[in-house]
Amino acid sequence: MQPPRATIKDVARACGVSTQTISRVLNDRVDVSPATREKVLAVIDQMGYLPSAYARGMRQQSSTLGVVLAGLQHKGISTTLKGITLEAQNYGLDLILKELPSFEATNMKPLIQSLMTQQVMGIIYAAPEVGDNWVQVQKSIPPHCPPIVYLKGNPASAPLSISIDNYQGAYLVSNHLIAQGYQNIAHISGPLDWFEARERRRGWSQALRDAGRSVGDNSLQEGSWDTASGHNAFTKLLKGFPEMDAVFVANDQMALAVLSCAWQHGLKVPEQLGVAGFDGISESAYFIPSLTTVKQDFRGLGALAVRKIKQLQEPEMSSSKVGADTTILTPELIIRASTQRSIERA
Amino acid sequence: MQPPRATIKDVARACGVSTQTISRVLNDRVDVSPATREKVLAVIDQMGYLPSAYARGMRQQSSTLGVVLAGLQHKGISTTLKGITLEAQNYGLDLILKELPSFEATNMKPLIQSLMTQQVMGIIYAAPEVGDNWVQVQKSIPPHCPPIVYLKGNPASAPLSISIDNYQGAYLVSNHLIAQGYQNIAHISGPLDWFEARERRRGWSQALRDAGRSVGDNSLQEGSWDTASGHNAFTKLLKGFPEMDAVFVANDQMALAVLSCAWQHGLKVPEQLGVAGFDGISESAYFIPSLTTVKQDFRGLGALAVRKIKQLQEPEMSSSKVGADTTILTPELIIRASTQRSIERA
DNA sequence: CGCGCTCGATCTGAAACACGA
DNA sequence: CTCGTGTTTCAGATCGAGCGC
């Protein structure tokens, strides 16, 4: 077999100095003579020595971040994670990832505990707020828990959170549909036990009411975010709300199914039916026709979360213990062909 | 401030036993009397004690997995990661994630070293094989490196690898286009410094040749996997290969752009133009028209990788040190409306 | 620059105890 | 009463690095 991995002692012996000197070189201290330092570095390189994070972690603050998320198959989640990984690497932080097996999973105590066992310096919680799982999370937080930054939930429910103004985005896009002259605007929502889904619905209904329109029960259908569910929901709307001439869909993936279904029924978009989505995934520019949507900066969201945790480590911050630190990002309306009946399609 | 976290000593003191007994309870040993065990568990729960993974890691084999990947924004990659996370949690493994900032990044030595510093038991390398970065990876592997399982690369280049038979998938779908009676079949490839892109192109050209067709330079355009690049590539094909009546696109996202562009030019799919993709992302069933594609089991790929590393830990395996352990998964052809000109579109 | 101690857990060897022969 | 046998427990050394002196 191969020899066990070299330790700091092996290096020390090979250099003819004490382990302390090696340690100093590793940590870039000044009190080592240039000659010794060079010699040590050479030996380290030659032996392929790497310090043990475990041993080191016993004496120092860890530089590991925990991330809890759910639904990696959704583009918004995976893009957020990309933002997190890149920013964490910028700051030299390691990252331990946990994924909830399903959105309904409420018992995350073991996940949080496992992260605490790893001595993480902070936790980014990017799983959606569904039903009462927020309560479950709160109950799962053990004493001595590192700071947790919550993404994409109800900003009111957590002390440290970053979210996107779903209400505002939905209001903007609904208003745009009204301005384009559409009369009967339906909504396909996300699962209504999701906070984000409820906010988007609220933006839609408020925009209609502010424009003096009535909001009937038959103009709303609930989806599950999945493309397939968009198909079902739209089919029901066609039956139950035949006067519909526009629909605001709670995410782009379901909007894709609406476009597909409308095409199969020979409905012309945007002439006979206006369609708008939410999320602003890059593919939406290539839907047929290109999709009007509300763009969220998922990547920026992830990066911001990392920076927030990093800030909490600064000594001056930890003392001031900001009671509530809530950031709300504003989404951006992107107008494309699927809602512009006045002009030629691009 | 709050008191520091409880250690095993605190628990021992509170129970009036030695730390050794606590340790035994934590590790589910048999040699603890039921009374003592219960008492200890109660105190642990009451104090909110959690063992430190660092201290533990100094004496035992770690149960942490390292994952290196690139391109989380691509659906295939994020789905693979989902497979990895869920399977790892099945086995009680922790997971440290590293993402290459770009596909071109070749200097991954620091990433691998950082993982080794964390004493990972194995590494899953799911970044694509691009250009000569394979050579770079090899050079970056320090001595005493834990086993590395490579996903999606050239199976020949790594001892431990899992990949999907891109050649076979491409051959199947190209053959299908031929069988449907399409005469002039173009290809939009991925970036040709990617192994996978070259394999798919090879499958396409071989299928054409086997059918007695010639393969001209003007029937091939290179994309970058991104939807936008599909648009460019297709525009060039329209100009340079006007007799084209079908196109095999190297991934679904670029195929979306082809459908979009064809629609803008008034080209009817599948009647005037057959279109097929690769990957089998769930949205492709809702493209207009629904897309024929080659489905890869990304999730299964990730799960398999975890199991493979797990296997290597079994003592009987490590001794037999299998020289080359290569798994090649077979992709599945999914025939949808975009290539079926004989029948009505669904 | 180095010695010796420390971090928090695990491992080793052996002690303390109960039991029946 | 002593001796083995087996169970339960403990004190002390130990892992690899960092820190004070």
Side-chain angles (χ1 to χ4, degrees), chain B:
Chain B
M1 295 296 166
Q2 53 182 339
R5 268 178 52 177
T7 75
I8 200 172
K9 278 186 200 159
D10 302 320
V11 178
R13 208 174 311 122
C15 292
V17 299
S18 81
T19 62
Q20 180 50 222
T21 305
I22 313 297
S23 172
R24 277 201 277 266
V25 172
L26 288 175
N27 293 283
D28 275 321
R29 308 270 160 127
V30 282
D31 47 358
V32 184
S33 77
T36 313
R37 160 166 283 132
E38 226 167 297
K39 162 99 196 215
V40 170
L41 286 175
V43 172
I44 285 180
D45 193 60
Q46 186 253 314
M47 298 182 68
Y49 165 75
L50 288 173
S52 151
Y54 286 146
R56 185 171 270 177
M58 293 197 60
R59 307 283 317 202
Q60 301 181 145
Q61 234 266 4
S62 100
S63 60
T64 302
L65 226 61
V67 176
V68 178
L69 44 74
L72 259 179
Q73 71 275 26
H74 289 286
K75 193 127 194 221
I77 306 270
S78 58
T79 310
T80 305
L81 179 60
K82 188 182 181 80
I84 294 176
T85 59
L86 296 187
E87 194 75 355
Q89 282 168 49
N90 263 347
Y91 288 116
L93 303 177
D94 288 310
L95 202 137
I96 297 186
L97 179 66
K98 302 279 172 187
E99 177 166 19
L100 301 173
S102 81
F103 285 130
E104 295 78 32
T106 48
N107 183 19
M108 49 215 80
K109 197 157 186 171
L111 286 190
I112 304 258
Q113 289 192 338
S114 155
L115 288 177
M116 287 188 58
T117 281
Q118 304 282 345
Q119 319 280 120
V120 296
M121 60 185 274
I123 295 179
I124 297 179
Y125 186 86
E129 186 175 341
V130 174
D132 75 335
N133 77 356
W134 168 251
V135 182
Q136 301 292 332
V137 180
Q138 295 289 51
K139 275 199 267 181
S140 306
I141 298 179
H144 311 299
C145 191
I148 305 186
V149 171
Y150 296 87
L151 302 189
K152 338 168 96 220
N154 183 346
S157 51
L160 267 172
S161 73
I162 309 175
S163 44
I164 286 178
D165 195 336
N166 290 285
Y167 170 79
Q168 158 109 359
Y171 191 94
L172 276 177
V173 70
S174 304
N175 230 359
H176 163 71
L177 286 170
I178 294 168
Q180 287 291 311
Y182 292 108
Q183 293 304 315
N184 300 297
I185 303 173
H187 179 47
I188 296 178
S189 74
L192 289 171
D193 50 354
W194 287 51
F195 175 75
E196 294 172 273
R198 289 196 301 276
E199 284 294 285
R200 291 178 197 176
R201 180 189 56 178
R202 191 164 68 86
W204 160 76
S205 63
Q206 191 60 46
L208 292 195
R209 258 184 249 110
D210 285 356
R213 313 281 173 86
S214 65
V215 181
D217 277 354
N218 58 344
S219 59
L220 172 70
Q221 282 293 332
E222 183 175 350
S224 73
W225 300 129
D226 280 340
T227 309
S229 77
H231 183 95
N232 288 340
F234 184 65
T235 308
K236 284 186 194 150
L237 280 177
L238 283 175
K239 281 229 179 74
F241 189 40
E243 63 272 38
M244 159 177 72
D245 64 352
V247 53
F248 161 46
V249 192
N251 77 349
D252 289 353
Q253 306 203 24
M254 293 195 291
L256 173 62
V258 169
L259 293 176
S260 175
C261 199
W263 171 78
Q264 280 169 18
H265 284 79
L267 275 172
K268 285 227 190 307
V269 176
E271 293 83 353
Q272 298 170 266
L273 183 78
V275 179
F278 205 108
D279 275 359
I281 66 176
S282 51
E283 288 80 6
S284 62
Y286 294 90
F287 288 179
I288 300 177
S290 64
L291 184 72
T292 291
T293 186
V294 178
K295 185 171 179 176
Q296 309 192 54
D297 182 11
F298 291 112
R299 220 149 131 173
L301 184 70
L304 188 57
V306 173
R307 263 178 272 131
K308 198 160 248 186
I309 289 204
K310 184 79 182 165
Q311 270 172 26
L312 288 171
Q313 301 312 113
E314 322 282 327
E316 67 272 27
M317 288 309 282
S318 61
S319 57
S320 61
K321 273 281 182 202
V322 202
D325 177 0
T326 293
T327 307
I328 298 182
L329 304 177
T330 305
E332 176 195 0
L333 176 61
I334 298 186
I335 298 173
R336 298 214 188 91
S338 68
T339 57
Q340 296 192 268
R341 52 177 168 188
S342 37
I343 64 164
E344 292 303 302
R345 46 198 197 197

Side-chain angles (χ1 to χ4, degrees), chain A residues 75-134:
Chain A
K75 193 124 196 226
I77 307 271
S78 58
T79 311
T80 305
L81 179 58
K82 189 183 178 82
I84 294 175
T85 58
L86 296 187
E87 194 75 357
Q89 282 169 48
N90 263 347
Y91 288 116
L93 303 176
D94 289 311
L95 203 136
I96 297 186
L97 179 65
K98 302 281 173 187
E99 177 165 21
L100 300 174
S102 81
F103 284 132
E104 295 78 32
T106 49
N107 184 18
M108 49 215 79
K109 197 159 184 168
L111 287 190
I112 304 261
Q113 289 192 337
S114 156
L115 288 176
M116 286 186 60
T117 280
Q118 303 282 347
Q119 318 281 119
V120 296
M121 59 185 275
I123 295 179
I124 297 178
Y125 186 86
E129 187 176 340
V130 174
D132 74 335
N133 78 355
W134 169 250

Side-chain angles (χ1 to χ4, degrees), chain A residues 49-305:
Chain A
Y49 164 75
L50 288 173
S52 150
Y54 287 145
R56 186 172 267 178
M58 293 197 61
R59 308 281 318 199
Q60 302 181 145
Q61 234 270 1
S62 101
S63 59
T64 303
L65 226 59
V67 176
V68 178
L69 45 74
L72 260 178
Q73 72 273 28
H74 289 286
K75 193 124 196 226
I77 307 271
S78 58
T79 311
T80 305
L81 179 58
K82 189 183 178 82
I84 294 175
T85 58
L86 296 187
E87 194 75 357
Q89 282 169 48
N90 263 347
Y91 288 116
L93 303 176
D94 289 311
L95 203 136
I96 297 186
L97 179 65
K98 302 281 173 187
E99 177 165 21
L100 300 174
S102 81
F103 284 132
E104 295 78 32
T106 49
N107 184 18
M108 49 215 79
K109 197 159 184 168
L111 287 190
I112 304 261
Q113 289 192 337
S114 156
L115 288 176
M116 286 186 60
T117 280
Q118 303 282 347
Q119 318 281 119
V120 296
M121 59 185 275
I123 295 179
I124 297 178
Y125 186 86
E129 187 176 340
V130 174
D132 74 335
N133 78 355
W134 169 250
V135 182
Q136 302 291 333
V137 180
Q138 295 289 50
K139 275 199 266 181
S140 306
I141 298 180
H144 309 301
C145 191
I148 305 185
V149 172
Y150 296 87
L151 301 189
K152 337 170 95 217
N154 182 345
S157 52
L160 266 173
S161 73
I162 309 175
S163 43
I164 286 178
D165 196 336
N166 290 285
Y167 170 80
Q168 159 108 1
Y171 191 95
L172 276 176
V173 70
S174 304
N175 228 359
H176 163 71
L177 287 170
I178 294 168
Q180 288 289 313
Y182 292 108
Q183 293 302 315
N184 300 296
I185 304 172
H187 179 46
I188 296 177
S189 74
L192 289 171
D193 50 354
W194 287 51
F195 175 75
E196 294 172 275
R198 289 197 301 277
E199 285 293 286
R200 291 176 198 178
R201 180 188 56 178
R202 191 164 70 85
W204 161 76
S205 63
Q206 191 59 46
L208 292 195
R209 259 186 246 107
D210 286 356
R213 312 282 174 86
S214 65
V215 182
D217 275 354
N218 58 343
S219 58
L220 173 69
Q221 281 293 331
E222 185 175 349
S224 73
W225 299 129
D226 280 340
T227 310
S229 76
H231 184 95
N232 288 339
F234 185 65
T235 309
K236 285 185 192 152
L237 280 176
L238 283 175
K239 281 228 178 76
F241 189 39
E243 63 271 39
M244 160 178 70
D245 64 352
V247 52
F248 161 48
V249 192
N251 77 349
D252 289 353
Q253 307 202 23
M254 294 195 291
L256 173 62
V258 168
L259 293 175
S260 175
C261 199
W263 171 76
Q264 280 169 18
H265 284 80
L267 274 172
K268 284 228 190 310
V269 177
E271 294 83 353
Q272 298 168 266
L273 183 78
V275 179
F278 204 107
D279 275 359
I281 66 176
S282 52
E283 289 81 5
S284 62
Y286 294 90
F287 287 179
I288 300 177
S290 64
L291 183 71
T292 291
T293 186
V294 178
K295 184 169 179 178
Q296 307 192 57
D297 182 10
F298 291 111
R299 216 145 135 177
L301 183 70
L304 189 56

